[in-house]
Amino acid sequence: MSSPTVSRAIPGAPAPAQRPSRRIGRLRDVALLPALILLVIIGAFLSPSFLTYPNLVSILGASAALAILVLAESLIILVGKFDLSLESTCGFAPAIGAMLVLPVASQGFGTGWPTWLAMFTVLVIGGVIGLLNGFMVVKLRLNAFIVTLAMLIVLRGMLVGVTKGGTLFDMPDAFFVLATTTILGLPLSVWIAGAAFALAGAILKYHRIGRALYAIGGNAPAARAAGIAVERITWGVFILGGVLAGFAGLIITGYVGAINANQGNGMIFTVFAAAVIGGISLDGGRGTMLGALSGVLLLGVVQNLLTLAQVPSFWIQAIYGVIILGSLMAARLTSGDTRG
Amino acid sequence: MAAAPPLVEAAGIAKRYGPTVALQDARIRVLPGETHALVGRNGAGKSTLVGILTGLIAADAGEVRFAGEPAPPLSDRAAWRERVACVYQHSTIIPDLSIAENLFIGCQPLRRGFIDWRRLRRDSATVLERWGVAVAPEMRAGDLTVEARQMVEIARSLSRGARFIILDEPTAQLDGEEIKRLFARMRELQAAGITFLFISHHLQEVYEICQTVTVMRDARHIVSAPVADLPKGLLIEAMTGEANSVGLIDAASRPRRPDAAAVLRVEGLAGQDFAEVSLTVTAGEVVGLAGATSSGRTGVAETIAGLKPASAGTVALGGRALPPGDVRAAIAAGIGCVPKSRHAEGLVLGLSVGENATMTIGDRLGPLGFQRPKVKQAAGEQMIQSLGIVTQGTEQPVSGLSGGNQQKVVMARALASDPRLLVLIDPTAGVDVKSKQALLGHVDTSRQQGKAVIISSSEIEDLRICDRVEVMLHGRIVASHAAGWTEAALIAAMEGLSPE
């Protein structure tokens, strides 16, 4: 599938041969669908409660934050960069937001900011972190991997520092609204995540900036020579990634009902795994939102099944990791892809 | 000396890459102790022959013999290294290691299985001293000048036993004084019994340092003779052959239009590898920038197109000065560019033909930056049609196209924004004759539409369609030839030979 019939190019008759290549493009997007269906069937046999409406809703709800993080990471990977610090941003940003509201008695700063302003600040903090990452990666040309790994550690350390390792409770209800509000039976967070994926998918396909992400990730010098503002757009993607990570942090806060110093810790592995399983190439320039979303759902279902199947909790991590490895290999086989 | 068998002899060598013939009945005989020149234009097959002589490329047919003995099997690298070494134009030194480590890389002296650093330093000092290279072995190799780096590479080859050394365009990156010193060293080594195969685009140097010359053209051996028997005129003729007209356009046959308005004015432009470049291009005029790869012609063209910043001077399009180093501004002002390498800067290989062809006009395909699929599709199809790109359609990734068709996509990308000025850098590099014809045909069409065109190239066919060719050498424009020039005169100017 990777090199669709090059030699059969027919001079002067391009139109009829055009459909197959387009269909192949779509096939790659849904390469995970068979695996997902298989898992659902297995799940139905494994546990009678799997295919129930409340369980399916809970899978979606539990996947919403991961979905937003995967969306953010996918955009950054598309331009050929990395951001590991997203997992710390999604703990640090909401924690600072919460402390701006909370009184000193509840471990806050005692500044007593209005709730809406504090929640907006969560997104601003995410954006500022993305701005810093972008500055170091794009302007100073430091290696994205090590820069964002350092940022991950700095932010985690700062979160532990400001909260003194404790947990923040007593936030205003607005902090939990993403998880607690339901519309037509689904949590608000699920609707927003779905809408975000739809919007990102549309922009990636139909907007010049979306197309520019593919061009930059595919060959940045060529994109630059075609008049694409490579640096500005790459930097912008880092900022957007930070904002989205802050937002994902608010979703997690809503589901957990509190913010502890570990929020988001270790999530980045799952984020990358979902993106890669979903067909986002780590080399940049290749992958779709539909693919990334199917990667998220696959991991969401696996997580849920492991719980339902009453796998001993001490073993869940190991099994989860093995399944991710297996999915990576399966994704490679089904897409017939030879590149990263 | 005449009685000894040739140190290196290759005969009947053939090599194909798919449909491309890289070598066909190529041969060369290098006698011990001589400095032998290998000359030919780009694509003549020199590099392939060097690859075969160094055992890095397997020939499809033919035989290589060293001092009468058949060449060792390709897998026996050590045996090859004892017979032949090549100093390439690009460095094979590892910059972050010391010179001593570079000298003995892969064969470091050991003591009880561990590297014996003391002996490594002592041995490398001996090697450097023996071959007269005055650098400290502890020095970081990356800090060497190009000149010293070449000497270290030569010393490394000699220390491994090779007495036959291929120098691939060693003078390309050296200045006059350095070239003199290199030649002095080569003469010393020659006196010590070392044999050289010397590759250069500067024919003057061939006469200066070599005793014998082999000319290649179109993948074939043309002539081998003592340099004394092959005066410049004959040498250039052997390199170029007869004017191979494959129905390409010659600007000499069309009337000149001296009254056209100036589109581009370049004044006192200077950059990394060129200076004091001034030129004017009028509407409907095609101007060639000729010169060797290192002449600075590429830098001038890239600077005009905004790909590189200028250190001095101005580029004005239609009377308005352009901000230096700003591709977006250049495109907006009406410059379309075919960059030097289609793989490096011309194309995003994984993306489709339509995507690549419309990359320069991403903001013109719909409102607010959104791209209407129908508009984009139509724009892509129009490009495919007008440039005659052979493809399955707009959705096919360009990675699946042939080189010629890929280059047409790069041309399409440059033309998409309907520019007033086309800047084409090596526009027909590595494409077949038919695509070359088609691409140059589009240049002519653009000219007829009143676009101004700059072609930076060293290919005679590319330059034939120019109304005027400015020749660059060492970063300066040194000559200007109106259409109708003779090939010999232009090549002589490009190679830095003074016409006689």
Side-chain angles (χ1 to χ4, degrees):
Chain A
M1 230 185 285
S2 58
S3 59
T5 58
V6 175
S7 52
R8 272 195 275 132
I10 314 148
Q18 185 183 316
R19 279 211 187 115
S21 62
R22 186 176 272 190
R23 210 177 290 148
I24 283 161
R26 294 215 178 114
L27 257 178
R28 192 187 285 147
D29 297 347
V30 295
L32 279 185
L33 222 54
L36 203 52
I37 292 169
L38 184 71
L39 270 178
V40 170
I41 294 172
I42 293 174
F45 280 106
L46 220 59
S47 161
S49 50
F50 176 73
L51 266 187
T52 58
Y53 185 73
N55 187 53
L56 294 181
V57 170
S58 90
I59 292 176
L60 292 179
S63 302
L66 178 67
I68 295 287
L69 284 175
V70 169
L71 171 63
E73 194 69 75
S74 297
L75 296 176
I76 297 170
I77 297 174
L78 270 183
V79 295
K81 301 290 182 199
F82 286 96
D83 189 350
L84 302 176
S85 68
L86 294 183
E87 71 157 47
S88 294
T89 306
C90 76
F92 179 75
I96 299 299
M99 290 173 77
L100 286 169
V101 184
L102 291 176
V104 180
S106 308
Q107 286 189 307
F109 295 131
T111 39
W113 285 23
T115 307
W116 66 269
L117 183 61
M119 289 181 69
F120 179 71
T121 307
V122 170
L123 303 186
V124 172
I125 291 169
V128 170
I129 294 167
L131 186 87
L132 284 174
N133 282 331
F135 174 75
M136 287 184 282
V137 172
V138 176
K139 285 287 163 190
L140 302 185
R141 301 191 185 197
L142 295 171
N143 180 288
F145 180 85
I146 199 67
V147 160
T148 58
L149 181 60
M151 186 61 88
L152 176 153
I153 292 166
V154 168
L155 293 177
R156 180 65 57 199
M158 283 171 67
L159 175 56
V160 174
V162 292
T163 59
K164 298 185 182 70
T167 303
L168 302 169
F169 304 96
D170 305 332
M171 276 83 78
D173 285 345
F175 268 81
F176 312 117
V177 77
L178 286 168
T180 51
T181 312
T182 54
I183 300 171
L184 300 176
L186 286 175
L188 182 58
S189 61
V190 173
W191 287 108
I192 293 181
F197 266 89
L199 183 67
I203 285 183
L204 281 179
K205 191 136 184 61
Y206 297 115
H207 195 273
R208 69 181 172 85
I209 290 183
R211 300 315 297 169
L213 298 193
Y214 286 99
I216 294 170
N219 184 351
R224 192 177 93 85
I228 291 171
V230 173
E231 293 203 340
R232 203 186 307 165
I233 290 177
T234 308
W235 202 344
V237 167
F238 269 103
I239 295 172
L240 178 64
V243 171
L244 286 172
F247 186 76
L250 283 175
I251 298 180
I252 299 173
T253 307
Y255 278 95
V256 177
I259 302 174
N260 67 35
N262 270 328
Q263 177 158 320
N265 198 4
M267 257 185 112
I268 201 67
F269 167 68
T270 318
V271 170
F272 268 86
V276 173
I277 291 171
I280 305 282
S281 163
L282 284 184
D283 294 338
R286 279 164 0 112
T288 62
M289 283 301 117
L290 192 59
L293 185 60
S294 60
V296 170
L297 291 178
L298 188 87
L299 291 191
V301 169
V302 168
Q303 185 84 292
N304 180 264
L305 275 179
L306 287 177
T307 317
L308 285 184
Q310 292 172 325
V311 173
S313 60
F314 296 116
W315 283 100
I316 278 195
Q317 261 196 309
I319 293 170
Y320 192 51
V322 168
I323 287 176
I324 286 176
L325 276 181
S327 316
L328 283 170
M329 289 188 274
R332 164 59 48 90
L333 291 177
T334 48
S335 69
D337 223 328
T338 49
R339 291 189 285 177
Chain B
M1 201 154 63
L7 183 69
V8 182
E9 179 167 31
I13 304 284
K15 178 74 192 174
R16 300 173 73 92
Y17 292 103
T20 317
V21 177
L23 284 179
Q24 193 171 329
D25 192 25
R27 57 181 188 273
I28 192 163
R29 265 168 70 99
V30 184
L31 298 175
E34 73 174 352
T35 296
H36 193 117
L38 178 61
V39 298
R41 316 216 54 227
N42 288 333
K46 289 173 301 191
S47 340
T48 313
L49 184 60
V50 167
I52 287 167
L53 288 179
T54 48
L56 293 174
I57 298 175
D60 297 339
E63 196 191 15
V64 180
R65 297 176 85 88
F66 290 101
E69 304 281 318
L74 291 192
S75 52
D76 190 355
R77 290 305 310 155
W80 280 92
R81 265 200 297 274
E82 283 167 20
R83 287 165 175 77
V84 52
C86 183
V87 177
Y88 296 95
Q89 214 178 333
H90 55 93
S91 170
T92 56
I93 289 273
I94 299 169
D96 282 323
L97 297 185
S98 72
I99 291 169
E101 282 171 277
N102 269 291
L103 282 175
F104 287 93
I105 194 143
C107 57
Q108 294 92 338
L110 300 180
R111 216 174 89 191
R112 292 197 209 101
F114 291 93
I115 290 178
D116 185 348
W117 285 99
R118 200 177 296 170
R119 222 181 101 203
L120 180 72
R121 266 191 295 277
R122 209 175 50 225
D123 289 358
S124 43
T126 317
V127 166
L128 293 171
E129 199 189 306
R130 171 160 183 217
W131 301 110
V133 187
V135 293
E138 310 75 45
M139 199 177 149
R140 186 177 163 271
D143 296 335
L144 291 170
T145 61
V146 175
E147 184 190 10
R149 191 262 297 166
Q150 286 179 343
M151 290 317 299
V152 168
E153 289 198 58
I154 291 174
R156 175 167 69 178
S157 320
L158 294 171
S159 76
R160 302 203 175 175
R163 291 297 174 268
F164 172 55
I165 295 186
I166 301 173
L167 300 175
D168 186 5
E169 293 198 45
T171 58
Q173 297 169 58
L174 302 181
D175 65 27
E177 277 306 304
E178 292 170 332
I179 292 173
K180 269 187 202 156
R181 284 199 292 269
L182 173 70
F183 286 179
R185 292 310 321 276
M186 283 174 66
R187 289 197 187 93
E188 284 170 35
L189 291 171
Q190 202 185 345
I194 308 297
T195 309
F196 287 102
L197 183 67
F198 180 81
I199 300 171
S200 176
H201 275 296
H202 298 279
L203 300 183
Q204 195 74 61
E205 297 167 0
V206 170
Y207 288 100
E208 205 176 322
I209 189 81
C210 300
Q211 289 82 52
T212 319
V213 56
T214 291
V215 183
M216 296 188 68
R217 185 179 76 228
D218 300 335
R220 281 190 182 80
H221 173 266
I222 300 300
V223 65
S224 289
V227 288
D229 297 350
L230 205 64
K232 280 179 202 167
L234 284 177
L235 182 58
I236 290 174
E237 202 183 298
M239 281 171 70
T240 55
E242 291 143 345
N244 54 335
S245 56
V246 279
L248 296 172
I249 304 132
D250 190 338
S253 58
R254 63 174 179 248
R256 309 229 41 203
R257 300 197 307 184
D259 53 334
V263 172
L264 173 79
R265 264 181 214 286
V266 175
E267 266 159 39
L269 198 64
Q272 219 166 34
D273 56 354
F274 61 91
E276 292 169 30
V277 170
S278 298
L279 61 108
T280 306
V281 187
T282 62
E285 189 184 27
V286 185
V287 171
L289 272 179
T293 315
S294 55
S295 65
R297 64 170 171 85
T298 310
V300 172
E302 286 178 339
T303 308
I304 291 171
L307 285 167
K308 281 202 174 139
S311 57
T314 55
V315 175
L317 198 71
R320 296 230 329 255
L322 294 177
D326 187 340
V327 187
R328 284 158 66 81
I331 291 174
I335 295 182
C337 178
V338 170
K340 182 176 166 59
S341 156
R342 61 174 168 272
H343 284 185
E345 293 189 302
L347 296 169
V348 182
L349 285 177
L351 291 183
S352 69
V353 171
E355 194 75 43
N356 273 286
T358 57
M359 200 171 277
T360 48
I361 49 166
D363 49 352
R364 300 187 202 172
L365 299 170
L368 301 170
F370 279 95
Q371 303 176 339
R372 289 212 175 117
K374 272 193 183 152
V375 178
K376 192 168 177 173
Q377 173 90 3
E381 271 165 14
Q382 196 236 321
M383 283 295 168
I384 290 174
Q385 196 129 57
S386 71
L387 281 145
I389 301 168
V390 179
T391 169
Q392 295 172 352
T394 53
E395 300 288 321
Q396 189 186 9
V398 285
S399 55
L401 299 184
S402 72
N405 283 302
Q406 288 185 346
Q407 192 67 20
K408 285 182 198 164
V409 176
V410 185
M411 182 70 103
R413 195 180 85 158
L415 287 169
S417 57
D418 193 22
R420 279 190 287 175
L421 170 72
L422 270 177
V423 178
L424 314 176
I425 308 171
D426 296 328
T428 62
V431 307
D432 57 291
V433 175
K434 276 205 143 179
S435 303
K436 186 179 274 196
Q437 259 176 300
L439 286 162
L440 295 179
H442 289 296
V443 174
D444 201 52
T445 313
S446 302
R447 175 190 67 80
Q448 284 167 13
Q449 291 166 352
K451 296 189 200 303
V453 184
I454 289 181
I455 301 181
S456 165
S457 176
S458 54
E459 294 289 322
I460 295 299
E461 291 89 347
D462 295 355
L463 299 169
R464 274 282 171 227
I465 65 169
C466 299
D467 295 287
R468 171 164 55 92
V469 176
E470 306 280 356
V471 180
M472 293 195 66
L473 188 72
H474 298 313
R476 301 276 201 287
I477 292 181
V478 292
S480 178
H481 293 249
W485 36 266
T486 64
E487 202 168 325
L490 192 73
I491 289 182
M494 276 160 62
E495 309 277 358
L497 284 169
S498 49
E500 288 170 20

